[in-house]
Amino acid sequence: MSVFPATAASRAAGRGAAAGRAGPRGRRAAYLFIAPLGLGFAVFYFWPLLQTFYFSFTEFGAFGGHTFIGTDNYIRVVKDVTVWQALGNTIVYSLIGLTALPIAIVVAALLNRRGLRGVALYRALYFVPFVTLPVAVGLVWNWLYNGDFGLLNDILSRFGADRHYWVSDPSTAVYAIGTVMVWSTTGYYLIIFMAGIKGIPRDYYEAAEIDGAGALRRFFTITLPLLSPTIFFASVICMINSLQTFDLIYIMMAEKNPAIGDTQSVVGLFYKWAFIENAQGAAAALAFLLMLLIAALTYLQFRLQKRWVHYE
């Protein structure tokens, strides 16, 4: 018998050997456990992806059926001016949506102070807009933004400001919708960041406080660096969701709104082509290119995170 106690490496090797001795029976059990998720992924994600890719090379007839037309749909997407306008609007929505992250971080840091009462109530109030149906959110904010009797114009008029048609003016419509996006998603990221801050050891803050670091210094030197993995996760989710935004725009922008072209997102254009203009092939090509764009930006975020994300 060895005189020295077993090291962590030897214990890990022993567990690995035991797992290896499990043999085919253990592997079959593992496959059975992952089979439901794998089957669902294949049926609801991978197969529709393949179908979309195939349909992007076809043209649908007015009464059904489709014919192969090669890369004509992709050429149409690249040359169509409305696609680039919708892409520009979508990028603006994404940039505005990302502002929800610093807001949520600051609020999460404030709610995580020791001795603060009513944290659960504040957290619930911030989270309610996220779980509210987008239809309800869009209708309420349409009333707030109304140029004739909206609450926002009523408040601004008390300070001498002129009434403004926020969602009908092309110069403000995108930013008005983006503001609603930030308002409705901040609570979701707040919950994530509060959980991340609670995972930071309290000893770091106590040591910094003993050394004379103030609240602002502790926030920038302890909270932000140790919260960077959570920030990275939230930024990826926020970017993906913002690039796919549709329902809120669809609810807030009426069909005859003069600013509808200046607020249309890529997904909104996909809906128009697929379900209104009966151009399913071009819509499939647009959707596939959007998927590639999201994949490319996500990959870029994963590459850049090595420079600013700090893991303990």
Side-chain angles (χ1 to χ4, degrees):
M1 185 177 68
S2 174
V3 180
F4 302 100
T7 62
S10 63
R11 289 196 298 269
R15 288 194 297 268
R21 288 194 298 270
R25 184 177 180 182
R27 288 194 293 270
R28 282 196 299 269
Y31 291 146
L32 286 175
F33 276 110
I34 65 174
L37 180 60
L39 182 62
F41 179 83
V43 172
F44 296 107
Y45 289 92
F46 188 68
W47 176 243
L49 173 63
L50 293 179
Q51 282 190 312
T52 301
F53 181 67
Y54 168 72
F55 288 142
S56 67
F57 295 99
T58 64
E59 182 180 17
F60 283 73
F63 300 99
H66 55 274
T67 56
F68 186 82
I69 59 172
T71 58
D72 290 355
N73 289 324
Y74 289 95
I75 295 174
R76 173 185 174 178
V77 169
V78 173
K79 290 185 177 181
D80 198 317
V81 177
T82 57
V83 173
W84 295 102
Q85 184 178 13
L87 179 61
N89 295 336
T90 304
I91 292 174
V92 173
Y93 288 132
S94 300
L95 295 177
I96 296 176
L98 286 172
T99 60
L101 301 185
I103 297 174
I105 292 172
V106 173
V107 176
L110 293 175
L111 292 181
N112 270 286
R113 292 179 299 170
R114 284 186 297 179
L116 182 65
R117 296 182 178 180
V119 174
L121 176 62
Y122 292 130
R123 187 170 52 206
L125 290 175
Y126 275 102
F127 193 67
V128 164
F130 179 74
V131 297
T132 305
L133 291 175
V135 175
V137 171
L139 291 176
V140 169
W141 277 91
N142 264 341
W143 172 73
L144 294 175
Y145 280 142
N146 190 279
D148 297 320
F149 51 82
L151 180 62
L152 180 60
N153 277 326
D154 184 62
I155 294 174
L156 293 177
S157 64
R158 298 177 185 274
F159 297 93
D162 296 330
R163 292 185 175 273
H164 189 81
Y165 292 86
W166 299 97
V167 293
S168 300
D169 186 350
S171 63
T172 59
V174 171
Y175 304 102
I177 296 174
T179 301
V180 181
M181 290 173 54
V182 173
W183 174 83
S184 61
T185 58
T186 298
Y188 171 71
Y189 301 113
L190 172 66
I191 300 299
I192 295 176
F193 290 135
M194 287 188 68
I197 293 176
K198 287 185 180 298
I200 300 176
R202 203 75 206 172
D203 299 344
Y204 296 163
Y205 293 101
E206 294 174 355
E209 193 172 356
I210 292 174
D211 290 339
L216 198 61
R217 181 69 178 274
R218 294 196 300 271
F219 176 77
F220 282 102
T221 58
I222 298 176
T223 304
L224 282 184
L226 296 181
L227 195 63
S228 56
T230 309
I231 297 173
F232 167 65
F233 166 77
S235 65
V236 172
I237 299 299
C238 182
M239 179 64 69
I240 293 175
N241 290 337
S242 299
L243 289 173
Q244 298 179 94
T245 183
F246 166 70
D247 45 6
L248 187 63
I249 304 172
Y250 183 78
I251 295 300
M252 296 190 65
M253 302 300 295
E255 187 177 349
K256 296 182 179 180
N257 193 313
I260 190 169
D262 298 277
T263 58
Q264 187 170 236
S265 65
V266 174
V267 179
L269 185 60
F270 162 81
Y271 171 81
K272 179 181 178 182
W273 283 2
F275 300 101
I276 299 177
E277 298 183 0
N278 196 38
Q280 289 93 337
L286 181 63
F288 193 79
L289 290 176
L290 177 61
M291 185 205 69
L292 293 180
L293 175 62
I294 293 175
L297 291 177
T298 304
Y299 173 77
L300 180 63
Q301 286 180 291
F302 271 89
R303 294 282 294 180
L304 295 178
Q305 60 97 12
K306 298 178 181 178
R307 301 183 179 181
W308 63 275
V309 178
H310 306 281
Y311 296 97
E312 285 188 276

